[in-house]
Amino acid sequence: MIDWLDGVLRGFINPYYYGILVTIGINIILALSLNLVTGFTGQLHLGHAAFMAIGAYTAGLLSTKAGFGFAGAVIVAGLVAAVAGVIVGLPTLRLRGDYLAIATLGFGEIVRITLLNLDITGGPFGLRGIPRQTNLPIVILAVLFSFLVLRSLVNSRMGRALIAIREDEVAAQTMGIDTTRLKVTSFTVAAFFAGIAGALFAYWFRYLNPSSFGFMVSIELLAMVVFGGLGNLLGSVLGAGVMTYLPEFLRTVAPAIAERRLVFYGALLVIVMILRPNGLLGTSSEQGWLEIWLARRRSQGAAGRVGSGPGAGSEAPPATGGAGHGPA
Amino acid sequence: MPGSGAVWRRFPARTGFAHRAPSRYDWEETTGGACLAQASTLVLYRCAAERGAPLFAQQLINGLVTGSTYALIALGYTMVYGVLQLINFAHGEIYMVGAFTGLLLVTVAKLPFPLALLLAMGGTAVLGVTIEFIAYRPLRRSSRLSVLISAIGMSIFVQNVALWIWGPSTRSFLPPFPVTTFTIAGLRTNTLDLLTLLVAVLMMVGLHLLVTRTKLGKAMRAVAQDRETAALMGINVNRTIAFTFAIGSSLAAAAGVMVGMLFNAVTPSMGVMPGLKGFVAAVLGGIGHIPGAMVGGLVLGMAEVLGVALLSSQWRDAVAFAILILVLLYRPSGLLGRRTQEKV
């Protein structure tokens, strides 16, 4: 069935776009799972590429050294990444959010250095000889599976608890939410999906190298989630799609910009946070300058245009604190 | 010392004096703080036995020099954290820009070294204040997550702009003064190492005096304690925060220039690792605590040397993060920090 579907898709899509679509799919799974931790639970996670690496190397080793089949290797890869998620999450998620950022960053580096220094992973030479068994229908199925699982998760009682943690952790705790347990759970689920994405990555590119899972990959994933919208799953799909395709597109049109894309990603993160911290489709209650400015213009318009032109709103809007910011 | 017996039982197996498979009990005795003590005893013994005591002491000197640069970086993190409760992710990039500025002033502008160092510090102070103004000040009232993401974005931005301007290749940074090597008490050292230590000590003493003896220092401490009350007392909070960034950034620039010469290498990506390690040092000493950052930097430098002696140099960077995770696990308030409860 899947083979038949793959044949049909390959007939319709040229190999170049087929490859891009597979990469987009893998990135969508990664962005969705990162969104669970960062967007819904509000914990900045800077080591998502490490869970992807763990999944990818697990699958790669299982298939080349232990003779595992595709399905088995992918599932085990997800589980191994989930276990790693518990191990990292349990100590660090007890602490306040900003420590998690550094701890996950450090964890990501440790994973990369370990992969670089182990013999079994091929070290800097990488791991070769993985069969190509990922194809577009499988990726689409995996994307649908992760989307549906994560959607029912965030719409459940647990998902509401996660959002409560994001909005105010102390208040959530006061309401009887076991914040540490839930944070670890969301972290573990995210690690599981990142592991699966990593395994699909391994079976698609057939060659693994620690440098494919560096810190900048985690940052690109974060940029996808932030751009698409923190706390919105469709936003992550959109963010991953646009930010995977755009560099490919720019590579043909303006290669200089595609090469320097990290400059723009960095600026994008800052600008989005200032203007609209929710990204395109975010759901948190936080407002940025853009929303405050629009709200002020609207209220000014309602008050009957008190002598000021459209330029009046351009003076530092949040100085007086807009809606949602509370008293100073 | 609990667990120290395991060192002696495990030791022969590792050096091959007696061929005995290490028993599983050797590892089970290893927990928490005992682990560090055990590891350091082992290293001391191995170095003393196999490579001679001077080599070990020699390594400690290297650890001290590296550690003092970590301490300079850590001070910037800790000061900013003190006043804003923000991890300034762009701090490592400020350090990198400091190194580049110093290099260009020395090689292109042919300025004398002390002047170049001071100008590099001044230039990065401006950069630090600019970063604060663009990326952090508009988000003063936003959630922590937003500010952290903005900080990460700024770090990526500065690093890649530097990559764009200066290219990815490593530039050599030869000290513009003669470096002589000499021996004190059987230990080889050189003027560059000593100068680095001197610069670090001077900066730290200067910072200490600034924070404890001047009006600006008092304002910084007040803002760190309670921003709103400080504002009510007539302190210009924005200006104090800007000064904090300026001072922290110039310390990082000093570290950047010294490290650039120590390793004879300046690249746009050089700020990433020292930036992270400076943060680890700050957390190790107790974040927000200025003497803690100094101690944390020195301890981290030493610990890395021990780690390299125990494992191998490839694991150097992993040591710092392992320390970070251990500190977060067992003593999140750091070596010198006090336990605090989050206020609502």
Side-chain angles (χ1 to χ4, degrees):
Chain A
M1 172 69 187
I2 281 179
D3 286 338
W4 173 80
L5 208 57
D6 187 38
V8 172
L9 284 171
R10 278 181 198 276
F12 276 104
I13 307 167
N14 83 36
Y16 173 68
Y17 285 107
Y18 188 92
I20 292 179
L21 284 175
V22 170
T23 319
I24 288 179
I26 292 171
N27 282 340
I28 288 176
I29 301 175
L30 290 164
L32 284 173
S33 52
L34 181 62
N35 202 346
L36 180 68
V37 178
T38 302
F40 286 94
T41 323
Q43 310 295 315
L44 184 52
H45 171 26
L46 298 174
H48 213 48
F51 292 120
M52 183 193 175
I54 289 174
Y57 271 91
T58 307
L61 288 173
L62 285 177
S63 81
T64 55
K65 305 253 154 71
F68 265 60
F70 175 74
V74 171
I75 291 166
V76 174
L79 294 176
V80 171
V83 171
V86 177
I87 294 172
V88 184
L90 218 46
T92 46
L93 286 163
R94 287 187 327 198
L95 301 159
R96 234 202 0 244
D98 21 0
Y99 285 107
L100 180 76
I102 295 284
T104 47
L105 206 169
F107 165 72
E109 282 303 299
I110 290 179
V111 167
R112 194 180 56 81
I113 295 168
T114 308
L115 292 174
L116 209 53
N117 286 308
L118 287 181
D119 286 331
I120 190 167
T121 59
F125 304 109
L127 189 65
R128 287 174 193 285
I130 306 162
R132 174 166 282 182
Q133 285 176 349
T134 299
N135 56 32
L136 194 52
I138 290 177
V139 171
I140 292 172
L141 277 182
V143 168
L144 283 178
F145 172 70
S146 7
F147 186 84
L148 291 177
V149 169
L150 290 172
R151 197 189 63 175
S152 46
L153 187 82
V154 299
N155 287 334
S156 69
R157 184 187 162 91
M158 180 184 153
R160 289 192 296 276
L162 294 179
I163 293 168
I165 294 175
R166 171 187 79 195
E167 295 293 328
D168 190 332
E169 192 167 339
V170 179
Q173 208 159 14
T174 318
M175 290 295 142
I177 293 171
D178 185 348
T179 53
T180 302
R181 194 175 63 85
L182 281 179
K183 282 194 284 183
V184 173
T185 312
S186 85
F187 201 65
T188 309
V189 171
F192 173 78
F193 283 110
I196 289 201
L200 293 176
F201 178 93
Y203 276 109
W204 174 253
F205 287 101
R206 302 169 60 219
Y207 167 72
L208 297 176
N209 188 296
S211 65
S212 320
F213 307 102
F215 176 54
M216 286 304 157
V217 177
S218 297
I219 294 296
E220 286 196 36
L221 293 173
L222 181 70
M224 290 171 193
V225 172
V226 167
F227 173 71
L230 288 164
N232 185 313
L233 293 176
L234 276 176
S236 294
V237 175
L238 187 74
V242 170
M243 292 180 80
T244 315
Y245 179 66
L246 206 59
E248 292 294 334
F249 172 72
L250 287 173
R251 195 167 295 167
T252 52
V253 184
I257 293 177
E259 212 161 285
R260 304 282 175 219
R261 66 181 186 279
L262 281 168
V263 174
F264 300 102
Y265 286 6
L268 178 82
L269 288 177
V270 177
I271 293 167
V272 168
M273 280 305 118
I274 293 173
L275 292 182
R276 186 174 153 79
N278 275 322
L280 282 181
L281 304 170
T283 57
S284 100
S285 63
E286 196 170 343
Q287 286 186 311
W289 284 25
L290 191 67
E291 286 125 314
I292 294 169
W293 183 68
L294 288 175
R296 183 181 295 181
R297 273 195 61 150
R298 222 173 289 131
S299 64
Q300 267 177 6
R305 286 211 192 94
V306 199
S308 60
S314 62
E315 295 156 15
T320 50
H325 278 265
Chain B
M1 183 170 54
S4 62
V7 175
W8 301 106
R9 269 192 280 126
R10 200 169 127 225
F11 179 58
R14 295 222 26 185
T15 47
F17 287 123
H19 295 280
R20 178 183 70 85
S23 101
R24 54 193 290 265
Y25 296 105
D26 294 353
W27 290 106
E28 281 181 0
E29 287 180 39
T30 315
T31 48
C35 180
L36 197 68
Q38 189 173 345
S40 52
T41 323
L42 187 66
V43 174
L44 274 170
Y45 195 87
R46 274 182 68 180
C47 291
E50 292 170 20
R51 304 177 198 170
L55 195 111
F56 179 68
Q58 191 70 51
Q59 286 298 315
L60 278 189
I61 289 193
N62 296 342
L64 192 66
V65 173
T66 328
S68 65
T69 63
Y70 290 160
L72 284 180
I73 304 170
L75 283 169
Y77 273 113
T78 244
M79 286 162 63
V80 167
Y81 197 90
V83 296
L84 281 183
Q85 284 79 48
L86 155 74
I87 299 173
N88 181 10
F89 272 104
H91 199 59
E93 271 54 59
I94 291 173
Y95 155 96
M96 175 269 296
V97 172
F100 263 105
T101 318
L103 171 70
L104 294 176
L105 287 176
V106 165
T107 55
V108 179
K110 307 264 185 249
L111 291 180
F113 178 71
L115 187 63
L117 181 65
L118 286 178
L119 281 179
M121 288 171 66
T124 44
V126 173
L127 175 70
V129 173
T130 314
I131 288 176
E132 194 269 330
F133 189 77
I134 295 174
Y136 305 147
R137 189 170 297 186
L139 297 168
R140 210 52 77 66
R141 293 172 196 283
S142 304
S143 71
R144 295 178 98 94
L145 182 67
S146 304
V147 194
L148 275 178
I149 292 176
S150 180
I152 277 282
M154 205 60 195
S155 156
I156 302 296
F157 178 75
V158 174
Q159 190 187 335
N160 285 284
V161 168
L163 196 66
W164 201 337
I165 299 173
W166 290 313
S169 57
T170 305
R171 294 177 186 217
S172 154
F173 192 167
L174 290 168
F177 44 82
V179 176
T180 49
T181 307
F182 47 85
T183 312
I184 308 174
L187 298 172
R188 286 162 63 85
T189 180
N190 62 45
T191 38
L192 190 56
D193 282 355
L194 294 181
L195 183 70
T196 307
L197 277 177
L198 181 74
V199 167
V201 170
L202 280 180
M203 302 278 165
M204 289 184 207
V205 171
L207 179 70
H208 183 74
L209 292 178
L210 179 89
V211 171
T212 53
R213 300 284 161 83
T214 65
K215 215 167 175 178
L216 176 63
K218 203 179 248 178
M220 279 163 60
R221 281 180 288 145
V223 172
Q225 230 169 51
D226 187 331
R227 202 187 304 161
E228 258 120 49
T229 314
L232 289 175
M233 298 298 132
I235 292 169
N236 187 336
V237 173
N238 277 339
R239 206 171 64 195
T240 311
I241 291 174
F243 265 116
T244 310
F245 269 86
I247 295 164
S249 305
S250 56
L251 294 178
V257 172
M258 297 320 289
V259 171
M261 289 192 302
L262 280 173
F263 293 114
N264 189 18
V266 176
T267 66
S269 58
M270 71 181 281
V272 178
M273 265 302 148
L276 294 176
K277 287 178 184 170
F279 179 79
V280 174
V283 172
L284 180 60
I287 191 135
H289 193 264
I290 289 179
M294 303 181 189
V295 174
L298 293 178
V299 171
L300 182 64
M302 300 287 187
E304 271 193 8
V305 171
L306 292 180
V308 170
L310 185 70
L311 298 160
S312 75
S313 56
Q314 289 108 322
W315 296 91
R316 185 190 182 100
D317 295 337
V319 170
F321 297 116
I323 289 179
L324 174 75
I325 289 173
L326 283 179
V327 171
L328 292 182
L329 265 178
Y330 290 103
R331 204 176 153 78
S333 52
L335 295 174
L336 301 184
R338 254 180 258 120
R339 262 169 217 284
T340 51
Q341 202 76 48
E342 193 170 343
K343 281 173 273 184
V344 185

